[in-house]
Amino acid sequence: MQSTSLPAHSRRTLRAGWEHVSSRTLNLTIMTHPEDPQAPRRSTDPVDESTDPAHSPAAPASTTPTAAPASATPTTAAPTKLMARERRAKHRESVRANAAAIRRRSFTAGMWTTRAPIWMWPVLLIITAIGAVLRLFHLEFPHRLIFDETYYVKDAYSVFKFGYERSWPENADKAFNAGDPSVIESTPEYVVHPPLGKWLIGAGIHLFGADDSFGWRFSVAIIGTLTIFLMGFIAWKLFRSAFFACVAAGLLSIDGEHFVHSRTSLLDIILMAFVLLAFAFIVLDREFVTKRLEKWAKAPPSSPPAEAAATSSARDRRSSRRGDPINFGPRLGVRPWLIAAGISLGLAMGVKWSGLYALAAFGILVVAWDVHSRHRAGVVHPWLGMFIRDSVPAFLKLVPVAVLTYVVTWTGWIRSDDAWDRQWAAENTGWWQALPDWLQWLPSLAHYHYTAYSFHVDLDSEHPYMSNPWGWIVQWRPTSFFYESPDRGSMGCAVDHCSSAITSVGNPVIWGLAPIAVLIALVAWIIRRDVRAGVILAGLAATWLPWFAYQERTIFTFYTIVMVPFVVLAFTYCLTLLWGRVPSSAAVVSDPAGFFDSAPNPRGPIFAGRGTRIPWSLFGRRMTVGLILVAAIMAFAYFWPIYTGEVIPFDAWNDRMWNVTWR
């Protein structure tokens, strides 16, 4: 049988027509049946060629129509772009999921599982005991109210005795110094600070009597002493070095500003203690969260079977995605340490309103740290996981708990009948009249807060020791709490002219290097992504940066007592970097403190010390750390007279005024 063939140009015409009809049919199918399966397309995902029909040796040749020519209708552009976007999104999600799986397999609690050596705790207790002795030594001097003690000590006596602040007559300090507080009046006094700090000061007055100046300052001395041990505990949690935990505690104990505040009955040392306690609870919460995520990462929940996923409805699939623990991570549970941090921050606000800044900053820190921890634990979408799983519970554990605790600190004012503004709601008409009788105190308390806030914002009177926050990090204008100039024969003065001063100036070694330490911590956080540096900077930001919004107000350098612990932590962090690590080849006989972490073996001369061999360069760095610590101790001893009011010759006092702005 003779076959017939078409001419070449006829075959080309017929093929072009068939391709045009096929492309029209394919486009029509896509537009009218969007849920039909699409033709296979190239993917970057790995494919098992043994099971894919398209790669099987016995599979027939593909019958997929060729792409439409450029002259095809524009309706093909939208589906093509949509398919490309879906393909890119799928690829990104696949890469993100694979990276998260790698992190999940390698995630461990790390340093949070390290236990402190037994010797660290008694050493911290010894350092704390030495700090207590230094702070209680001659605490009764001077036997008169100094600086703002004239407000807080007398108010503390009133609060502890009557439940609220009462007025004092003119020249009441003279009678109070003589041990006669009976001159107090029966009318309420308008004060602008919450009552909790005065309750604590009043406890010491109640214990030792209003006529004993030792009792006036006893509570703050004990609180300041306890923060020394708390500082060592926080440093251990952050640095996991028993040696530097003791270093941090020791540096805080010999800082001049912390020492002077611990011996003066002001509110700021109490505020600092509660802020530092809240910071410690947040660090403990991070330990709790990290261990919780480690348990989850070691045994992640399995995905639903493919058959069940294929037969589930669209609503079920959406619900499954929302509850997918791989994408969003686990729920973190009760988090008791976060609740404790909320209570501590509420107590801080109950001392001074500036505790509110710490609440805001630490809340942001908790959010950022949660996201970072979920990312390290292998959660595919850590931000969404934080918002979906823990944003609302964490907020409720922190902010409402702090607000409720703050209101509780006003219990004495609430229970009274004649405290300042206590009857404001009853004397003025408004919406609050619809409230029940047992809530009538609430609008009165709100009005009290409004007037107190207006006072704080509008405070701009001149004061010889007012300072700007820009100079706080270098102690540019420290505050003089007490100064007298006795002559020969008076107060033990053996020369023609003497000085007795109590000046709240920080240790020059610590604060002289503080700007460098803060800068190094900032660089380490940005470049090395060291979370420890970021956490320390968060505490510093909470206690320093908000004051830049009030540069025109009357503010003082002694407010920096709240940022002293974070300056010490930044300083200690830089000392840990300078300390360095021992090469891995060094022969370490005994390392109970964890000093000698493994590091690459450097080239160069080796110093043969006792029990180990380290490079000369590393030996020099550690000698530098030792010299810095010795210099800080010597500076504290040198400035001791102007920390304690010791009577010294005027020239000796003048020699200690290293900056003209200190006078």
Side-chain angles (χ1 to χ4, degrees):
M1 182 176 179
Q2 185 178 0
S3 63
T4 60
S5 61
L6 295 174
H9 68 279
S10 299
R11 290 196 300 271
R12 287 195 298 271
T13 302
L14 183 59
R15 185 181 301 110
W18 169 248
E19 291 176 352
H20 180 66
V21 172
S22 300
S23 63
R24 292 284 302 272
T25 303
L26 178 61
N27 292 337
L28 182 60
T29 301
I30 291 175
M31 290 189 296
T32 57
H33 301 284
E35 297 182 358
D36 288 351
Q38 299 177 0
R41 56 180 182 270
R42 183 174 301 173
S43 173
T44 57
D45 296 338
V47 178
D48 187 355
E49 297 186 1
S50 63
T51 59
D52 189 358
H55 294 80
S56 175
S62 174
T63 59
T64 303
T66 58
S71 60
T73 57
T75 57
T76 62
T80 303
K81 292 181 179 179
L82 178 61
M83 292 163 55
R85 284 198 298 269
E86 290 177 351
R87 184 164 58 249
R88 289 194 297 268
K90 181 180 178 182
H91 175 66
R92 286 195 299 268
E93 190 69 16
S94 176
V95 171
R96 187 180 293 115
N98 290 335
I102 294 173
R103 295 195 304 272
R104 191 160 53 250
R105 287 193 297 268
S106 61
F107 178 74
T108 62
M111 72 174 192
W112 300 111
T113 60
T114 306
R115 291 182 178 273
I118 298 177
W119 66 264
M120 185 188 79
W121 304 114
V123 171
L124 282 179
L125 289 174
I126 292 172
I127 294 173
T128 304
I130 294 173
V133 171
L134 295 176
R135 281 153 178 76
L136 295 174
F137 177 73
H138 282 319
L139 184 62
E140 70 281 357
F141 180 84
H143 186 70
R144 68 180 182 87
L145 299 172
I146 63 174
F147 196 55
D148 282 353
E149 284 185 342
T150 185
Y151 306 114
Y152 303 134
V153 171
K154 292 185 298 184
D155 286 345
Y157 171 83
S158 176
V159 164
F160 209 86
K161 188 172 181 63
F162 304 105
Y164 63 95
E165 297 86 348
R166 286 190 175 184
S167 300
W168 294 84
E170 292 289 338
N171 301 321
D173 286 6
K174 184 176 181 181
F176 198 90
N177 292 336
D180 181 19
S182 63
V183 297
I184 190 171
E185 299 174 348
S186 59
T187 56
E189 176 73 13
Y190 176 64
V191 296
V192 294
H193 291 303
L196 179 59
K198 287 164 278 191
W199 277 100
L200 295 175
I201 295 173
I205 298 175
H206 179 75
L207 183 63
F208 291 92
D211 59 341
D212 190 347
S213 56
F214 183 90
W216 302 349
R217 305 170 182 126
F218 177 75
S219 294
V220 294
I222 296 301
I223 291 173
T225 300
L226 293 177
T227 58
I228 297 174
F229 185 87
L230 185 60
M231 169 59 70
F233 174 78
I234 293 173
W236 160 253
K237 290 295 183 182
L238 289 179
F239 307 132
R240 295 294 159 163
S241 168
F243 173 70
F244 283 104
C246 298
V247 166
L251 288 174
L252 186 65
S253 68
I254 62 174
D255 176 70
E257 193 169 3
H258 185 274
F259 180 76
V260 170
H261 273 267
S262 299
R263 294 171 54 88
T264 311
S265 212
L266 304 182
L267 300 179
D268 301 84
I269 186 74
I270 306 174
L271 170 65
M272 182 273 285
F274 284 125
V275 170
L276 188 63
L277 182 63
F279 185 78
F281 285 141
I282 288 176
V283 173
L284 287 172
D285 173 71
R286 187 50 37 194
E287 180 176 352
F288 172 84
V289 167
T290 305
K291 292 179 178 178
R292 170 75 176 85
L293 289 174
E294 183 187 33
K295 293 180 180 179
W296 169 82
K298 287 182 177 179
S302 58
S303 301
E307 295 82 2
T311 59
S312 61
S313 64
R315 178 179 300 179
D316 293 338
R317 289 195 296 270
R318 288 194 298 270
S319 177
S320 176
R321 285 195 296 270
R322 286 195 298 269
D324 184 5
I326 300 299
N327 280 328
F328 305 128
R331 300 186 185 278
L332 297 178
V334 177
R335 299 177 72 172
W337 297 117
L338 194 58
I339 298 175
I343 295 174
S344 298
L345 291 169
L347 296 175
M349 292 189 297
V351 177
K352 272 192 170 184
W353 284 357
S354 51
L356 184 63
Y357 301 138
L359 174 63
F362 289 169
I364 296 173
L365 173 62
V366 169
V367 170
W369 219 345
D370 279 354
V371 173
H372 179 265
S373 297
R374 288 180 181 273
H375 172 79
R376 288 184 56 246
V379 175
V380 180
H381 299 286
W383 277 102
L384 288 176
M386 183 276 301
F387 281 115
I388 294 174
R389 295 283 193 262
D390 254 354
S391 58
V392 174
F395 176 85
L396 295 177
K397 294 180 182 73
L398 193 66
V399 178
V401 169
V403 173
L404 180 61
T405 304
Y406 172 76
V407 174
V408 170
T409 64
W410 285 84
T411 300
W413 182 92
I414 294 172
R415 290 174 57 87
S416 68
D417 293 327
D418 53 353
W420 184 272
D421 253 1
R422 180 62 182 85
Q423 301 300 327
W424 180 87
E427 297 170 355
N428 296 270
T429 58
W431 58 267
W432 49 86
Q433 291 177 328
L435 294 174
D437 292 340
W438 63 274
L439 269 181
Q440 286 297 317
W441 57 268
L442 186 59
S444 299
L445 186 61
H447 181 264
Y448 193 168
H449 280 63
Y450 170 76
T451 58
Y453 176 78
S454 301
F455 172 85
H456 283 296
V457 171
D458 298 333
L459 183 63
D460 58 357
S461 59
E462 293 292 328
H463 193 283
Y465 286 102
M466 62 185 298
S467 62
N468 192 284
W470 287 106
W472 287 2
I473 194 64
V474 292
Q475 297 284 293
W476 182 254
R477 181 59 171 160
T479 308
S480 176
F481 287 178
F482 170 79
Y483 184 85
E484 285 188 352
S485 301
D487 296 328
R488 183 188 296 270
S490 175
M491 297 177 61
C493 179
V495 296
D496 292 337
H497 190 51
C498 293
S499 293
S500 175
I502 299 177
T503 306
S504 177
V505 59
N507 189 305
V509 174
I510 298 175
W511 289 89
L513 297 174
I516 301 175
V518 172
L519 183 61
I520 291 175
L522 183 62
V523 171
W525 177 49
I526 295 175
I527 296 180
R528 297 180 56 180
R529 299 183 180 180
D530 193 332
V531 177
R532 300 172 302 172
V535 170
I536 294 170
L537 292 173
L540 196 60
T543 54
W544 182 26
L545 294 186
W547 292 104
F548 285 92
Y550 302 100
Q551 296 185 61
E552 303 302 323
R553 269 194 50 198
T554 306
I555 53 180
F556 305 90
T557 300
F558 74 85
Y559 294 171
T560 57
I561 181 59
V562 188
M563 59 186 278
V564 164
F566 302 103
V567 171
V568 170
L569 284 174
F571 188 79
T572 306
Y573 173 74
C574 292
L575 291 181
T576 64
L577 299 180
L578 181 60
W579 183 264
R581 297 182 297 178
V582 172
S584 57
S585 62
V588 182
V589 174
S590 177
D591 183 22
F595 297 167
F596 307 116
D597 299 326
S598 176
N601 184 17
R603 299 177 181 178
I606 298 296
F607 168 75
R610 183 175 181 180
T612 186
R613 293 169 58 85
I614 62 176
W616 277 103
S617 59
L618 187 59
F619 174 74
R621 291 165 61 180
R622 297 191 170 184
M623 286 295 296
T624 303
V625 171
L627 291 175
I628 291 174
L629 297 178
V630 170
I633 296 173
M634 294 178 64
F636 176 75
Y638 181 70
F639 281 85
W640 171 271
I642 67 169
Y643 291 154
T644 59
E646 183 178 321
V647 177
I648 57 177
F650 176 81
D651 291 339
W653 172 84
N654 191 56
D655 291 341
R656 288 163 174 80
M657 298 294 103
W658 288 0
N659 194 328
V660 294
T661 61
W662 292 10
R663 293 179 171 85

